[in-house]
Amino acid sequence: AITYSFVEPKAQQLVCPQDETVALANPISADLAVMRTSLWPGLLNVMERNLNRQHTRVRLFETGLRFLPDGDNLPKQDAMLAAAITGRREPESWSENGETVDFYDLKGDLESVLALSKLGNNTGLRFEKAEHPALHPGQTAAVIVNEEAVGYIGAIHPQLQKKLGFSQTIYLFEVKLSAITQAELPKFTESVSYTHLTLPTIYSV
């Protein structure tokens, strides 16, 4: 998904009530009046449009900047990766049993992406129980990479789900993009030397 860096103040407040925002001096519209502090408001808006059009199995991701106030300085900008999923685990078919996605589906997706980074086999990655205003109290985890908290993952909070009018559960994650983009570069090693072999002579008749 590609969404605006400007969001509606009410949507921003619903999803991230704990964050201070940067207001625009001359917004292009009242619905785009503050800088986003998370990619989730935009993703949830796209999710809503898809669900309203009867697309009940949706998987979205976005990379982009979030903007956090920094006193009198320019806003602090962090590159982020966010994703949202909902609906059936597999496309609808005769053999599909109708199971819907859950926390562990999205967790597996995030682990697969983080495995591309310097984490390698994910030995530097762990998930710790946490709280976030936008996420379900019992289904929320902080994403820890090499002892640094880089984001959150979880199910949408039931109250937020009701306020946004979603009839099915949404699962979300958002992490700092730097946790992924610091990829492990290929390393060259000294080649193995082989003993010289003499091939037998082949005579033609």
Side-chain angles (χ1 to χ4, degrees), residues 7 16 100 103 128 166:
V7 296
C16 301
T100 57
F103 175 91
E128 290 186 355
F166 290 126

Side-chain angles (χ1 to χ4, degrees), residues 7-141:
V7 296
E8 183 184 7
K10 182 179 178 181
Q12 172 66 40
Q13 177 66 21
L14 279 175
V15 177
C16 301
Q18 78 283 10
D19 292 340
E20 294 184 22
T21 57
V22 178
L24 299 176
N26 297 294
I28 58 177
S29 75
D31 291 339
L32 302 171
V34 297
M35 305 293 287
R36 66 187 179 191
T37 64
S38 167
L39 275 58
W40 285 348
L43 273 185
L44 289 171
N45 187 38
V46 176
M47 179 70 74
E48 180 184 18
R49 291 205 301 270
N50 277 272
L51 293 175
N52 287 343
R53 288 164 176 75
Q54 309 305 312
H55 301 301
T56 57
R57 181 177 184 264
V58 186
R59 290 174 176 261
L60 300 166
F61 78 92
E62 181 178 10
T63 60
L65 297 176
R66 70 174 181 184
F67 302 86
L68 302 175
D70 188 20
D72 296 329
N73 302 317
L74 291 174
K76 179 183 177 183
Q77 301 180 32
D78 293 320
M80 308 296 289
L81 168 68
I85 65 172
T86 190
R88 292 174 180 264
R89 181 171 288 123
E90 301 292 341
E92 190 171 357
S93 67
W94 290 108
S95 59
E96 199 268 323
N97 58 15
E99 291 184 349
T100 57
V101 295
D102 58 24
F103 175 91
Y104 295 99
D105 289 289
L106 190 60
K107 180 174 178 285
D109 291 341
L110 178 56
E111 287 174 331
S112 296
V113 174
L114 290 173
L116 301 174
S117 70
K118 287 184 177 180
L119 295 174
N121 60 1
N122 288 349
T123 54
L125 168 67
R126 72 175 192 274
F127 297 86
E128 290 186 355
K129 184 177 180 181
E131 294 183 359
H132 188 285
L135 300 178
H136 192 296
Q139 298 185 52
T140 303

Side-chain angles (χ1 to χ4, degrees), residues 66 76 78-81 114 148-151 174-181:
R66 70 174 181 184
K76 179 183 177 183
D78 293 320
M80 308 296 289
L81 168 68
L114 290 173
E148 178 190 358
V150 298
E174 183 173 38
V175 296
K176 292 181 179 178
L177 196 59
S178 59
I180 300 161
T181 54

